[in-house]
Amino acid sequence: MATIHISPYDAYVAQRNPEMAAFVDVRSVEEYARGHAKGFTNIPLDEIARDISHIPKADAVYFMCYSGGRSFLAAKLALSHGLNTMNIEGGFSAWQKAGLPVE
C-alpha cells in the first residue's frame, strides 16, 4: 500500500461521501484560522506526529497542508500505521486556485 496523490478536485468530489473518508488539514492552528478548505478538520502535523490516534478512523484519510509537503509527511506516517492515505497535490494553494469552497 502507498500514499496516493490526488488532485484537489478529486478530493472535493470525495467529500460527497463523508462517511467513507476523513479530511484533515495539517497546517498550524493559525494558518487554518486564516482560511481552509470547507469540510476539513484541523489537526496540526506536530499533533499527529506525537499521537497518531488524533487521526479520525475512516476508509480513507485525505491530508492537506499549504503546498503538499507537510501533508505528504502526515500521509506517510498514517500509512505506516495501516491507514489508507491520500495526499492532496498542491495543498490549500491548489485548492484555492481551483476555485473550490473555502471557509
Side-chain angles (χ1 to χ4, degrees):
M1 188 180 333
T3 295
I4 296 172
H5 297 277
I6 190 166
S7 74
Y9 181 77
D10 288 339
Y12 173 70
V13 170
Q15 285 183 317
R16 294 181 185 153
N17 295 310
E19 65 281 352
M20 302 294 290
F23 299 89
V24 178
D25 186 321
V26 300
R27 295 177 298 152
S28 71
V29 172
E30 296 80 17
E31 288 175 289
Y32 182 83
R34 287 192 296 265
H36 56 272
K38 187 173 182 179
F40 278 71
T41 301
N42 184 223
I43 307 172
L45 179 58
D46 61 337
E47 287 182 29
I48 292 170
R50 280 194 308 271
D51 186 356
I52 196 75
S53 71
H54 287 288
I55 299 172
K57 302 294 182 240
D59 290 344
V61 183
Y62 291 75
F63 291 98
M64 176 188 288
C65 64
Y66 184 73
S67 63
R70 288 175 285 177
S71 56
F72 180 63
L73 294 174
K76 282 179 36 177
L77 180 61
L79 180 67
S80 73
H81 284 83
L83 299 175
N84 183 22
T85 63
M86 310 288 173
N87 182 45
I88 299 170
E89 293 177 331
F92 183 62
S93 175
W95 184 277
Q96 287 180 296
K97 286 179 187 170
L100 299 172
V102 297
E103 297 182 309

